[in-house]
């Protein structure tokens, strides 16, 4: 009953707050691929070009990877009046630029909340020639189709997983892995959206226990990968946050 009750938790949007937004890369969004969260090819992995790099204040050492935001252009002549907001997923870090003042080039310097958007999504709500616009933003639920996806890397003695397509709050505070012949093994946060376990898990079915960073909800993804799992492959659970 406990798991069923937990499943009805729904992530609620946060209040609106003020920040600024810039963009990086060009119209192809090629500069957004890869990124500090480790999602790799954002087209293949379902994120597309509606993505954003967060200032370190918002990035939270990678625990904000996968979070979703509504961003509205605010009180600028560059804003497109007919676009109420755009919805983006955090896939990258906008690092500080200590050689520039925080209000003149060093937009992502702490303690600023700042969004460095892909150029295609910036162009949806403002004239790109503006370079920077004031915005209002809020966290919103991530509407993901299907279950959480786990991209496997590592070797027979070390499992590294990139956790993608996370719904609800979009973020993860902790994750544990269980082989068919083991108990639950806590995975350590590697970087971005990747977690690792130093354990011999080859030849065993793989299950995960995932806890949301935002609302602390825990869900179980049983038998995500079969006993003949392999690194380099991505496995999809039949559960997700909401």
């Amino acid at each position: 009953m406990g798991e069923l009750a937990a499943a009805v938790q729904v992530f609620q949007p946060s209040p609106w707050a003020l920040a600024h937004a810039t963009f990086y890369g060009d119209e192809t969004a090629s500069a957004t691929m890869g990124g500090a969260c480790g999602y790799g090819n954002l087209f293949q992995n379902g994120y597309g070009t509606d993505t954003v790099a967060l200032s370190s204040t918002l990035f939270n050492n990678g625990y904000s990877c996968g979070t979703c935001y509504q961003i509205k252009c605010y009180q600028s002549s560059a804003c497109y009046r007919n676009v109420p907001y755009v919805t983006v997923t955090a896939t990258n870090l906008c690092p500080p630029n200590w050689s520039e003042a925080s209000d003149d080039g060093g937009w992502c310097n702490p303690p600023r909340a700042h969004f460095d958007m892909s150029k295609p999504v910036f162009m949806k709500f403002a004239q790109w020639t503006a370079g920077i616009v004031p915005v209002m933003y809020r966290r919103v639920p991530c509407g993901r189709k299907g279950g959480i996806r786990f991209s496997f890397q590592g070797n027979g003695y070390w499992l590294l997983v990139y956790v993608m397509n996370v719904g609800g709050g979009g973020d993860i505070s902790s994750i544990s892995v269980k082989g068919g012949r083991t108990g639950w093994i806590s995975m350590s946060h590697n970087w971005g959206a990747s977690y690792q376990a130093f354990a011999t898990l080859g030849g065993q079915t793989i299950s995960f226990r995932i806890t949301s960073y935002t609302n602390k909800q825990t869900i179980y993804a049983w038998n995500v990968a079969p006993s003949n799992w392999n690194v380099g492959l991505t496995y999809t659970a039949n559960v997700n946050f909401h």
Side-chain angles (χ1 to χ4, degrees):
M1 181 62 199
E3 280 177 54
L4 288 173
V8 300
Q9 286 188 40
V10 175
F11 178 78
Q12 299 298 328
S14 69
W16 291 96
L18 289 166
H20 283 80
T22 49
F23 64 87
Y24 67 112
D26 59 19
E27 286 84 343
T28 68
S30 58
T32 69
M33 299 301 142
C37 291
Y39 295 136
N41 186 310
L42 300 177
F43 293 107
Q44 287 180 4
N45 291 318
Y47 296 103
T49 60
D50 290 348
T51 62
V52 67
L54 302 178
S55 62
S56 53
T57 299
L58 293 171
F59 191 68
N60 193 20
N61 292 319
Y63 285 105
S64 292
C65 285
T67 52
C68 299
Y69 299 84
Q70 285 176 348
I71 303 179
K72 21 182 188 187
C73 191
Y74 184 63
Q75 292 185 339
S76 167
S77 60
C79 298
Y80 293 143
R81 305 285 173 221
N82 60 340
V83 181
Y85 57 79
V86 292
T87 304
V88 294
T89 302
T91 60
N92 205 352
L93 166 68
C94 178
N97 180 0
W98 298 116
S99 65
E100 304 283 352
S102 63
D103 62 350
D104 186 18
W107 308 116
C108 290
N109 295 354
R112 291 178 72 102
H114 189 83
F115 296 90
D116 201 13
M117 306 168 78
S118 80
K119 190 172 182 182
V121 77
F122 187 95
M123 291 169 66
K124 287 181 179 180
F125 80 168
Q127 298 168 27
W128 69 268
T129 49
I132 181 169
V133 292
V135 296
M136 294 190 73
Y137 73 95
R138 66 174 181 169
R139 284 272 309 277
V140 292
C142 296
R144 302 288 177 222
K145 292 179 179 165
I148 296 174
R149 294 205 290 266
F150 302 86
S151 176
F152 282 33
Q153 304 296 332
N155 54 44
Y157 310 98
W158 171 59
L159 179 63
L160 178 70
V161 295
Y162 292 89
V163 189
M164 299 182 285
N165 203 53
V166 180
D171 51 11
I172 292 169
S173 67
S174 62
I175 181 169
S176 298
V177 62
K178 184 184 184 313
R181 299 189 298 274
T182 74
W184 287 105
I185 301 164
S186 180
M187 303 186 80
S188 60
H189 184 217
N190 184 300
W191 59 279
S194 67
Y195 292 79
Q196 62 187 359
F198 294 93
T200 306
L201 295 164
Q204 302 175 57
T205 56
I206 303 292
S207 301
F208 294 101
R209 181 174 65 200
I210 313 109
T211 300
S212 162
Y213 189 94
T214 299
N215 62 10
K216 309 300 183 245
Q217 179 187 357
T218 297
I219 57 177
Y220 290 80
W222 294 105
N223 302 322
V224 170
S227 57
N228 64 342
W229 64 264
N230 228 314
V231 297
L233 297 179
T234 298
Y235 299 93
T236 303
N238 59 4
V239 292
N240 211 329
F241 296 107
H242 299 286

